[in-house]
Amino acid sequence: MKRPRELPFRHQLALVVTLTSGLAVGLAALGAVWHERRQAYSDVRDDFLSLARILAANSEAAVSFGDAKAAQETLAALAIKPAVTSARLYTADGQSLATYRRQGVEAGSVPAVPERAGYRFVGRAFVVFETVSYDGERVGTLYLRTDTSPLTMRLGRAALILGLVFLTATVLALAASARLQAWVSGPILEVANVVRTVAEQRNYSVRVTPGGPVEMRALAEGFNEMLAQIQRRDDALLAARDGLERKVEERLQQLQREISVRKTAEARSELLSHAVASSRELICITDTEDRFTFANRAFLEAYGYSQDEILGRDLSLIDSPRNPAGVRAAIGPATHGGGWRGELLNRRRDGSDFPIALSTSVIRDDQGRAVGLLGVANEHQRGAAQGRAAAVAGGRPGIDGRCRDDHGTRRHDPLGERRLQRADGLRAG
Amino acid sequence: MARAHGRTITCTAVAVALSLGCVCTAGAEEREGSLEYPVKAALLLNFAKFTEWPADSPQARRPVVSICVLGRDPFGEVLDRTVAGRSAGGRTVVVKRYDGGEGPGSCNVVFVASPESGQLLEQLRALADEPILTVGETDSFAARGGVIGLVVEGDFVRFEVNLAAAARARLQLSSKLLGLARVIARPQKQERRP
């Protein structure tokens, strides 16, 4: 047996209704029994007190005159009242004058002497002592004893009937409430079902059918409205999520495209970079202020500098003072004017000069702005034809790389005697 | 004759005496006849109680009810003790005694003991039209014109009522009293008229 508060709602409801109606019927039945009992005892009391008074009045003379025969005759009339079990008339001094006993009643059951006037219920009997008086004087006493067991039986029957009524009413109330509770519990259970559906399936499109009491209808409508709001919000969220996913997807694809493009560009750039770096020409780049921004391996080897030592330094670092005057000044404007070619001397880190054949140009970006100057040189080969105007040196690798781009201040300064000779030759040429 | 019957007075008579408060004779059967007059005294008082006198008569108007013993008094003090402190119809009861001569015309109850002398009978006849309850103990007292005659029968003291005589005297005897009496000489209509 489950405890009441663990029962389902509809059982609780039926239970509450049954208990309430049972209580009401039970109280009504108790009240009815109580009233019936009171009324019955009151009736018996009134009835037999009246009888006692009538008898007392009728026996005044007999008692006054001590006429036992007449007194006996008066009492004999009690035979018409079967409830009266015994009666006795006493004279004023308490002597028994006449006695009445219903058939089967023991002689000893009648009191030998009278008590004070009054009445009382004794067990299943009602006992009266009534004063017999005449002309303002007490002349004797009447005793009357009545059997009240019929009354007890009547009350027992009434209690039994009311108990049956109570049981029947309770059973009927249980049956009725078991059916009728659906009026109230139905809408609540429906709301509960919808709540479960929503919770389990995340389905906000379900709705409660409003029904039952006014408050339940209001609850159902409010719940539906809440569901509708949640559904709208949910839809908006879903839409937003879908849009976001789409955007992310698009962005991702875009990024992938960009990455692919960039990778291509990087690959090309890397190739170019490697090409420049790997070139045996002496290649260097300066910014527009003549400061080194790049020098390739061949250049560094040729000049004896490391990358760190040269980057950011001014171009004049590698200039040789032995170049003929004017050469260097001419290179800058020529470069900006489309490029400069020629031979001149440059100085290594250890202070020795060597001749290079140099070609310069301006590095321009996509918009055509000058972002730097490029110089490509090779070590002027000693064995090469001195008469050549352009400085192109085959020579031994490692010696002739010479970056002499940049603005003009680049002069050919061949190192050593042979170079000098050649420079002279150039100059001469 | 009354004495002859004295021994036969019953316990009922004793009860009557006791019920009227006459305790003096309880269990006093040691002397023959000692209970007869207490019982009769109690009866006299009760007769007074159960009788109504005509409203316009002096018997009804006087503040006392007088029980008179005419001639020989067989009660002695018994009657006085029986009556002492008692009332009838709200009036005090007193005892008077008349031995010849005038007077009993104003009594409520007149008792004539046995035997009755000729003079007494004459006096009684003279009172027959007065509103006086006449009580005697001689045989056939009621039949001969008295209102109530006391008769000792076996164990009981009974009484006979002459309703015609009561009507002539304009006395109203209680039906309860009559219920206990042997009624003789029911009155004719015309006889009841004064």
Side-chain angles (χ1 to χ4, degrees):
Chain A
M1 189 81 185
K2 280 185 177 177
R3 293 171 58 189
R5 63 177 55 181
E6 290 168 357
L7 288 173
F9 173 66
R10 53 202 175 87
H11 292 171
Q12 284 187 345
L13 193 59
L15 194 63
V16 165
V17 171
T18 305
L19 286 180
T20 308
S21 51
L23 185 67
V25 175
L27 282 179
L30 278 181
V33 169
W34 179 77
H35 176 74
E36 178 76 8
R37 184 181 182 280
R38 229 177 101 101
Q39 193 63 46
Y41 276 88
S42 166
D43 286 351
V44 165
R45 189 192 59 212
D46 293 350
D47 195 7
F48 289 97
L49 276 181
S50 302
L51 181 63
R53 277 167 193 156
I54 291 169
L55 272 178
N58 285 346
S59 53
E60 291 165 348
V63 174
S64 293
F65 285 95
D67 191 328
K69 188 162 167 266
Q72 193 67 52
E73 283 166 5
T74 306
L75 292 185
L78 287 171
I80 61 163
K81 276 276 192 185
V84 176
T85 51
S86 57
R88 178 167 280 180
L89 279 167
Y90 304 87
T91 55
D93 62 342
Q95 297 289 317
S96 171
L97 181 62
T99 304
Y100 166 83
R101 280 194 300 273
R102 201 179 66 186
Q103 216 166 8
V105 174
E106 293 173 19
S109 64
V110 184
V113 291
E115 299 176 12
R116 286 183 55 186
Y119 60 86
R120 63 179 188 270
F121 284 94
V122 185
R124 291 186 172 183
F126 178 64
V127 173
V128 187
F129 284 97
E130 179 73 23
T131 298
V132 181
S133 56
Y134 183 76
D135 192 24
E137 288 183 332
R138 189 178 81 89
V139 296
T141 303
L142 169 70
Y143 162 79
L144 191 68
R145 185 184 181 91
T146 306
D147 180 16
T148 58
S149 53
L151 171 68
T152 312
M153 281 173 65
R154 191 176 111 200
L155 288 177
R157 270 199 305 276
L160 184 68
I161 288 169
L162 285 168
L164 286 175
V165 167
F166 169 72
L167 273 182
T168 310
T170 305
V171 168
L172 287 180
L174 184 60
S177 64
R179 281 184 170 277
L180 299 184
Q181 52 82 22
W183 286 353
V184 178
S185 72
I188 293 176
L189 293 181
E190 180 169 350
V191 171
N193 281 334
V194 169
V195 167
R196 193 158 50 241
T197 304
V198 169
E200 287 173 356
Q201 305 174 5
R202 301 262 179 267
N203 179 1
Y204 298 106
S205 65
V206 290
R207 290 291 181 273
V208 180
T209 309
V214 176
E215 293 86 349
M216 276 313 302
R217 286 202 296 275
L219 174 63
E221 282 156 8
F223 188 71
N224 283 341
E225 178 57 30
M226 192 179 75
L227 277 179
Q229 286 181 11
I230 292 176
Q231 193 180 17
R232 280 197 292 277
R233 230 170 269 180
D234 202 44
D235 288 348
L237 273 177
L238 280 176
R241 196 182 68 187
D242 288 349
L244 194 61
E245 280 180 354
R246 207 160 41 242
K247 279 180 191 164
V248 167
E249 183 65 23
E250 284 170 3
R251 181 71 184 129
L252 202 57
Q253 288 173 357
Q254 189 184 352
L255 276 175
Q256 281 170 347
R257 277 195 304 274
E258 286 174 2
I259 286 169
S260 144
V261 167
R262 190 168 297 172
K263 273 185 177 167
T264 310
E266 278 175 1
R268 198 175 58 193
S269 174
E270 199 170 358
L271 185 63
L272 284 173
S273 174
H274 286 150
V276 169
S278 307
S279 173
R280 295 188 61 186
E281 303 298 312
L282 314 181
I283 298 172
C284 68
I285 297 172
T286 67
D287 60 15
T288 51
E289 306 295 323
D290 282 353
R291 286 187 296 266
F292 285 102
T293 56
F294 174 78
N296 76 347
R297 199 157 52 235
F299 181 97
L300 295 173
E301 284 174 1
Y303 287 89
Y305 288 104
S306 71
Q307 188 96 0
D308 294 337
E309 286 169 333
I310 201 162
L311 290 186
R313 302 291 297 277
D314 194 85
L315 195 54
S316 56
L317 181 68
I318 57 171
D319 199 15
S320 169
R322 291 164 59 195
N323 281 318
V327 171
R328 198 183 149 192
I331 292 176
T335 301
H336 284 287
W340 182 88
R341 276 173 203 275
E343 293 185 353
L344 73 170
L345 282 174
N346 268 181
R347 179 162 288 180
R348 295 192 183 91
R349 189 173 188 266
D350 58 5
S352 57
D353 293 340
F354 67 107
I356 57 166
L358 175 66
S359 169
T360 69
S361 58
V362 177
I363 303 172
R364 295 188 185 278
D365 63 12
D366 294 342
Q367 279 76 41
R369 286 176 305 206
V371 294
L373 302 171
L374 173 68
V376 181
N378 51 23
E379 248 180 308
H380 199 74
Q381 207 157 19
R382 198 193 310 166
Q386 288 180 352
R388 274 193 209 161
V392 176
R396 292 165 229 129
I399 299 181
D400 47 13
R402 183 78 273 36
C403 183
R404 183 53 340 76
D405 28 292
D406 282 350
H407 334 132
T409 57
R410 264 331 82 83
R411 233 189 273 147
H412 248 140
D413 285 330
L415 300 176
E417 300 162 356
R418 297 162 303 190
R419 300 266 166 86
L420 282 174
Q421 287 175 346
R422 216 164 287 157
D424 292 345
L426 272 174
R427 210 186 307 164
Chain B
M1 190 163 177
R3 286 196 188 115
H5 287 289
R7 63 192 330 177
T8 67
I9 287 172
T10 66
C11 50
T12 303
V14 174
V16 171
L18 292 174
S19 76
L20 294 172
C22 186
V23 294
C24 58
T25 59
E29 289 214 36
E30 63 270 23
R31 262 185 53 200
E32 257 184 26
S34 63
L35 283 181
E36 179 180 351
Y37 283 97
V39 169
K40 288 182 175 174
L43 285 173
L44 283 179
L45 176 60
N46 272 340
F47 293 151
K49 281 172 167 285
F50 283 83
T51 302
E52 284 180 28
W53 284 265
D56 58 351
S57 65
Q59 279 81 355
R61 287 176 177 170
R62 277 204 303 267
V64 294
V65 172
S66 50
I67 298 176
C68 305
V69 179
L70 209 56
R72 188 180 68 88
D73 177 12
F75 295 104
E77 290 182 352
V78 170
L79 183 58
D80 300 84
R81 281 203 299 267
T82 300
V83 163
R86 308 296 296 274
S87 64
R91 292 185 285 170
T92 307
V93 179
V94 296
V95 175
K96 291 178 180 173
R97 292 180 174 81
Y98 295 91
D99 195 1
E102 304 294 314
S106 62
C107 290
N108 293 72
V109 178
V110 167
F111 177 77
V112 181
S114 161
E116 303 152 358
S117 66
Q119 184 195 356
L120 277 178
L121 286 174
E122 274 192 25
Q123 277 191 309
L124 282 176
R125 265 194 288 276
L127 296 173
D129 289 330
E130 298 296 321
I132 294 174
L133 180 69
T134 50
V135 181
E137 57 179 358
T138 326
D139 284 348
S140 312
F141 177 80
R144 286 184 284 111
V147 178
I148 295 178
L150 298 176
V151 184
V152 176
E153 282 182 358
D155 288 346
F156 302 96
V157 177
R158 300 241 177 249
F159 50 94
E160 299 169 334
V161 173
N162 184 335
L163 280 180
R168 194 170 60 194
R170 298 189 291 143
L171 298 174
Q172 188 66 50
L173 300 182
S174 165
S175 62
K176 291 173 179 172
L177 175 65
L178 298 180
L180 302 176
R182 176 155 26 113
V183 176
I184 58 176
R186 291 190 181 277
Q188 303 294 313
K189 275 266 179 185
Q190 56 270 35
E191 282 184 307
R192 291 197 66 181
R193 293 196 180 116

